[in-house]
Amino acid sequence: MMDLEDAIQDEVPSMRTQLSIEFLSALKSFGEGQNIIPVSSTYGSGMEDIYNAAQQIYFGGEDLSKG
């Protein structure tokens, strides 16, 4: 599986590619310990992972839909 940085580097050079590289660099500057959760609005993948991460951060694992 290709990681995000490799995927960006494999793109055809463009303003969008440069923006993606700079954005990834900014994310890394916030800390390597943070996980990037890949999502796709096209395929709907990754949304459950974001939901689970939000539960862990804000509610200690409790289900957000309760109460």
Side-chain angles (χ1 to χ4, degrees), residues 24-36:
L24 184 59
S25 176
L27 287 174
K28 285 182 176 182
S29 72
F30 285 109
E32 287 290 327
Q34 302 297 321
N35 291 330
I36 296 175

Side-chain angles (χ1 to χ4, degrees), residues 4 7 10 14 17 19-20 22-23 25 27-28 30-32 35-36 42 46 49-51 53-54 57 59-61 67:
L4 181 58
D10 285 347
S14 67
T17 303
L19 179 63
S20 296
E22 295 299 326
F23 184 69
S25 176
L27 287 174
K28 285 182 176 182
F30 285 109
E32 287 290 327
N35 291 330
I36 296 175
T42 304
D49 296 330
I50 290 177
Y51 181 85
I57 292 168
F59 296 98

Side-chain angles (χ1 to χ4, degrees), residues 40-58:
S40 171
S41 61
T42 304
Y43 302 107
S45 62
M47 297 307 293
E48 186 172 327
D49 296 330
I50 290 177
Y51 181 85
N52 290 336
Q55 284 180 304
Q56 290 300 318
I57 292 168
Y58 295 107

